[in-house]
Amino acid sequence: MILKTEKIIKEWTDYNKHMNVAYYIHVFDIAADVMLDNFKMGGESAKKDNRTTFVAEMHTNYYQEVRLGEEVETHIAYVDHDKKRIHYKLSMFHKEKKYLAASNEVLSLYVDLSKRKVVEFDPDRLKIMDDFIKNNSSKFNPDKLVFSGKLKK
């Protein structure tokens, strides 16, 4: 499932004439926000409900460079959760050439911003995530997950 397409802009490139590592994370973060908004725990939720996610751990792999003017698509590769954490992996593909450019695996905590404390997911958010996982798990790739043992089921 494609979350977001981005065109590599000059500000994201470095002296090697490809996208700088920091901007891979930026592109992944933009795409993750789309997913989190769909799960009702992104920017809108932070403003309206004072609840959102904070990244606790991240593992990124870089496979092949992308350069100025090229477009990349960020896909959801995997999603799971426990009562307080969401575990997901995103994959970035070159839009035209279809190669895997990078992947980003994340473990995030659900946080009540009014208390700045980790809390359990609300039942409505659990249902949204569970429905998404149920409907899409056949497309997930659970291979080579770094954080697979971190969830407390």
Side-chain angles (χ1 to χ4, degrees):
M1 168 188 219
I2 298 172
L3 291 171
K4 191 91 167 104
T5 300
E6 295 288 340
K7 187 172 188 173
I8 309 309
I9 60 174
K10 186 174 181 3
E11 292 80 7
W12 296 352
T13 62
D14 60 21
Y15 52 82
N16 293 315
K17 299 186 178 168
H18 61 204
M19 189 160 64
N20 179 274
V21 296
Y23 290 100
Y24 280 85
I25 302 303
H26 177 68
V27 171
F28 280 126
D29 197 45
I30 291 169
D33 280 343
V34 172
M35 177 189 71
L36 293 171
D37 284 342
N38 289 337
F39 292 164
K40 308 285 187 235
M41 59 182 82
E44 182 90 12
S45 173
K47 293 174 193 165
K48 187 178 133 216
D49 302 325
N50 251 357
R51 296 198 174 201
T52 190
T53 61
F54 286 3
V55 171
E57 295 185 60
M58 178 184 300
H59 181 79
T60 306
N61 287 310
Y62 305 93
Y63 300 104
Q64 197 166 336
E65 68 182 350
V66 291
R67 301 180 71 174
L68 177 64
E70 296 178 331
E71 288 185 292
V72 293
E73 296 176 337
T74 304
H75 299 232
I76 296 175
Y78 180 83
V79 179
D80 199 1
H81 69 86
D82 63 14
K83 293 178 184 177
K84 298 178 181 181
R85 286 169 281 281
I86 182 169
H87 174 207
Y88 59 91
K89 186 173 182 178
L90 306 176
S91 296
M92 181 186 299
F93 293 91
H94 190 284
K95 184 175 181 181
E96 180 185 339
K97 298 177 183 173
K98 306 296 183 202
Y99 62 76
L100 177 63
S103 66
N104 182 241
E105 185 181 352
V106 177
L107 187 66
S108 287
L109 306 169
Y110 190 56
V111 175
D112 181 332
L113 293 172
S114 63
K115 300 175 186 171
R116 308 301 275 193
K117 297 267 186 197
V118 177
V119 295
E120 291 187 3
F121 291 113
D122 307 294
D124 59 326
R125 287 167 177 88
L126 285 171
K127 180 171 179 7
I128 293 168
M129 286 189 293
D130 287 341
D131 288 348
F132 178 83
I133 291 167
K134 179 181 168 191
N135 294 330
N136 293 284
S137 63
S138 66
K139 301 172 203 157
F140 293 165
N141 183 0
D143 293 341
K144 301 178 186 174
L145 293 173
V146 175
F147 304 134
S148 60
K150 296 273 184 165
L151 295 181
K152 297 175 181 169
K153 296 269 185 163

